[in-house]
């Protein structure tokens, strides 16, 4: 019994000595000078790593431009998108609740294009790139929503949805420095066996070159990209049928036939209007 008590005391004493040994002055197996050397080593080591990381980041940041991405190889050509933001547009023209979300989306999107706001922008010369490389504060070319005429939402606040002749807005994605050549315009076709008629605004779906180049969000704060409105004119036999429409950028050097990217220079959407 006495041996067991002695062993327990020895074990407890050894743990205490490991934490702090008063005879040698060691704390967890090391003296104060040993712990100081270890702390100094790691302080110098991690300080050196932090300095190398900071220097590397500083050198890298010196190569960047605050206004233009360094690598833009994946977006050399713009993609096309539509508004309302849905590639499947289906509704019953007799039920406002079914198309109200599309109308609200279009109205909200066109707020920046209100004529009252665009009056403050520059009436640019048609057909010429509006280059401002030597100007610090970039100006913005006017694009009034009234140019979209029947699809402007001004004369018809439902953008044709209440009549079963909906408007779709087509826009190009912004690409910094893009200056398309030729005469860019949007052309739309109906895929499959369809006789669906379409009207484009501005006339012939023209995208004027005066809206290019774009200089980025910081320099071109109030920039608005040009739009093309596509009004689908459905006949009596076009209702209750899903129509597939493809729109492309034509008449320029912009790519519109890349099979690996279905949105590069083109966009396809479906419309089904029920009576």
């Amino acid at each position: 019994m006495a041996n067991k008590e002695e062993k327990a005391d020895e074990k407890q004493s050894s743990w205490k000595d490991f934490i702090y040994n008063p005879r040698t002055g060691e704390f967890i197996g090391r003296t104060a000078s040993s712990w100081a050397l270890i702390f100094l080593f790691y302080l110098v080591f991690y300080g050196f790593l932090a300095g190398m990381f900071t220097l590397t980041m500083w050198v890298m940041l010196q190569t960047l431009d605050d206004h233009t991405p360094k690598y833009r190889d994946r977006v050399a050509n713009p993609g096309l998108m539509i508004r309302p933001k849905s590639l499947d547009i289906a509704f019953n023209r007799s039920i406002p609740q079914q198309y109200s979300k599309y109308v609200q989306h279009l109205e909200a999107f066109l707020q920046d294009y209100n004529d009252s706001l665009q009056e403050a922008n520059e009436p640019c010369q048609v057909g010429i790139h509006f280059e401002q490389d030597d100007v610090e504060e970039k100006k913005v070319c006017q694009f009034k929503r009234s140019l979209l005429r029947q699809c402007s939402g001004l004369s018809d606040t439902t953008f044709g949805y209440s009549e079963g002749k909906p408007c779709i807005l087509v826009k190009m994605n912004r690409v910094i420095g893009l200056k398309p050549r030729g005469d860019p315009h949007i052309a739309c076709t109906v895929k499959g066996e369809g006789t669906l008629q379409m009207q484009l605004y501005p006339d012939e779906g023209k995208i004027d070159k005066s809206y290019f180049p774009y200089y980025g969000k910081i320099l071109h704060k109030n920039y608005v990209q040009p739009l093309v409105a596509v009004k689908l004119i459905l006949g009596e036999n076009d209702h209750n049928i899903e129509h597939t429409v493809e729109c492309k950028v034509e008449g320029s050097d912009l790519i519109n036939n890349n099979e690996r990217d279905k949105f590069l220079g083109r966009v396809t959407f479906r419309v089904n209007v029920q009576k």
Side-chain angles (χ1 to χ4, degrees), residues 149 183-188 199-207 228:
R149 296 163 58 185
D183 184 23
H185 61 275
I186 299 294
C188 299
Q199 181 66 50
L200 274 62
Y201 308 103
D203 292 337
E204 300 177 355
K206 185 176 181 181
I207 300 176
V228 171

Side-chain angles (χ1 to χ4, degrees), residues 103 106-111 113-115 143-160 167-169 201 227 229-231:
V103 173
L106 289 172
E107 181 60 36
F109 176 73
L110 287 174
Q111 286 302 301
Y113 293 84
N114 283 335
D115 290 15
F143 190 100
K144 299 179 179 180
R145 66 186 290 180
S146 56
L147 292 173
L148 303 177
R149 296 163 58 185
Q150 295 183 39
C151 289
S152 65
L154 299 176
S155 58
D156 178 6
T157 56
T158 67
F159 297 91
C167 290
I168 312 296
L169 303 182
Y201 308 103
L227 305 174
V230 182
K231 187 172 184 63

Side-chain angles (χ1 to χ4, degrees), residues 27-92:
F27 176 71
I28 312 180
R30 294 183 179 275
T31 62
S33 59
S34 177
W35 279 114
L37 289 174
I38 291 175
F39 177 77
L40 179 63
F41 169 78
Y42 281 108
L43 181 65
V44 173
F45 177 69
Y46 285 113
F48 175 77
L49 290 181
M52 284 292 295
F53 176 77
T54 303
L55 178 63
T56 303
M57 290 296 294
W58 181 82
V59 171
M60 185 190 71
L61 290 173
Q62 302 313 301
T63 66
L64 301 179
D65 190 317
D66 291 337
H67 310 302
T68 306
K70 187 174 181 63
Y71 297 105
R72 295 180 291 157
D73 56 313
R74 297 187 63 184
V75 289
N77 286 272
L80 285 190
M81 293 298 293
I82 67 168
R83 294 293 184 272
K85 201 173 183 179
S86 174
L87 297 179
D88 290 285
I89 299 173
F91 63 94
N92 189 317

Side-chain angles (χ1 to χ4, degrees), residues 234-248:
L234 280 71
E236 287 298 322
N237 298 324
D238 295 324
H239 295 91
N240 306 317
I241 300 173
E242 184 177 83
H243 300 277
T244 301
V245 181
E246 182 180 62
C247 294
K248 290 184 177 183

Side-chain angles (χ1 to χ4, degrees), residues 83 109 113 140 143 170-174 207 211-212 222-228:
R83 294 293 184 272
F109 176 73
Y113 293 84
V140 178
F143 190 100
V170 182
K171 70 181 187 71
M172 286 199 305
N173 293 336
R174 301 177 182 183
I207 300 176
Y211 298 99
F212 305 95
N222 299 319
Y223 177 84
V224 291
Q225 61 250 67
L227 305 174
V228 171

